[in-house]
């Protein structure tokens, strides 16, 4: 299972498929357990998003340029763009196809966005067997952050 927003779950079958989970990292600073919706915690979120991306890539010996697609929630696009850029990844790799289509559906965002990315990989000529590393990134408003590496090879 792959955590999304530190609460939702995407299930991967054990059967051969288009994708498999390589690694997962969950960070929780616990600082926002009494989240105040009237305060802006963007800088704290940015710090932990960048930290988590860098840590996951480092421990798997993956260069930022090896990530082909980045799956995020359909919310806070500027925060994700900034974090991805600061971590050295290409912002053009962020999947944004559902940002205006569905809006933010809590942890379901990861499921529909992963499905769309995998359908794109499966239908594009010559890409089904091409190596592709996906990075799924999520955050919970109470200070939990989730990062998952997914291989489409």
């Amino acid at each position: 299972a792959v955590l999304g927003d530190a609460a939702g779950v995407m299930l991967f079958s054990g059967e051969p498929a288009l994708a498999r989970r390589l690694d997962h990292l969950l960070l929780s600073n616990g600082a926002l357990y009494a989240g105040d919706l009237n305060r802006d915690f963007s800088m704290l979120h940015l710090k932990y998003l960048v930290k988590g991306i860098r840590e996951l890539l480092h421990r798997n010996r993956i260069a930022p340029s090896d990530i082909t697609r980045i799956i995020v929630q359909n919310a806070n696009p500027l925060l994700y763009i900034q974090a991805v850029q600061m971590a050295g990844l290409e912002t053009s790799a962020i999947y944004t196809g559902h940002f205006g289509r569905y809006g933010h559906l809590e942890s379901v965002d990861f499921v529909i966005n992963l499905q769309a990315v995998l359908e794109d990989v499966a239908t594009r000529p010559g890409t089904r067997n091409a190596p592709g590393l996906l990075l799924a990134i999520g955050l919970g408003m109470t200070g939990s952050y989730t990062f998952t590496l997914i291989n489409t090879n």
Side-chain angles (χ1 to χ4, degrees), residues 102-114:
Y102 295 118
H104 182 39
L105 301 169
E106 296 295 329
S107 299
V108 177
D109 293 354
F110 292 103
V111 176
I112 63 171
N113 292 344
L114 177 62

Side-chain angles (χ1 to χ4, degrees), residues 37-111:
L37 296 177
N38 297 313
R39 293 188 56 203
D40 182 4
F41 295 106
S42 296
M43 293 307 291
L44 188 60
H45 290 320
L46 183 61
K47 172 186 171 182
Y48 280 91
L49 287 172
V50 173
K51 176 183 177 178
I53 293 168
R54 287 179 176 164
E55 184 176 330
L56 190 64
L57 295 181
H58 176 76
R59 80 179 189 194
N60 286 279
R61 296 187 174 115
I62 292 174
S65 60
D66 293 334
I67 300 297
T68 57
R69 287 302 243 170
I70 301 168
I71 300 168
V72 298
Q73 297 162 298
N74 297 329
N76 305 317
L78 295 178
L79 182 60
Y80 287 114
I81 289 168
Q82 187 67 38
V84 163
Q85 194 172 42
M86 289 177 68
L89 286 85
E90 292 293 325
T91 58
S92 61
I94 298 173
Y95 176 75
T96 59
H98 291 146
F99 269 43
R101 185 172 182 190
Y102 295 118
H104 182 39
L105 301 169
E106 296 295 329
S107 299
V108 177
D109 293 354
F110 292 103
V111 176

Side-chain angles (χ1 to χ4, degrees), residues 1-10 12 20-28 52-53 55-57 59-60 62 110 134-139 144-151:
V2 178
L3 292 175
D5 195 17
V9 176
M10 286 189 288
F12 282 82
R20 68 182 177 90
R21 183 183 65 85
L22 293 179
D23 196 4
H24 183 79
L25 173 68
L26 179 65
L27 299 176
S28 182
I53 293 168
E55 184 176 330
L56 190 64
L57 295 181
R59 80 179 189 194
N60 286 279
I62 292 174
F110 292 103
L134 311 178
L135 174 63
I137 308 167
L139 68 95
S144 55
Y145 309 88
T146 179
F147 311 87
T148 305
L149 281 173
I150 302 166
N151 190 353

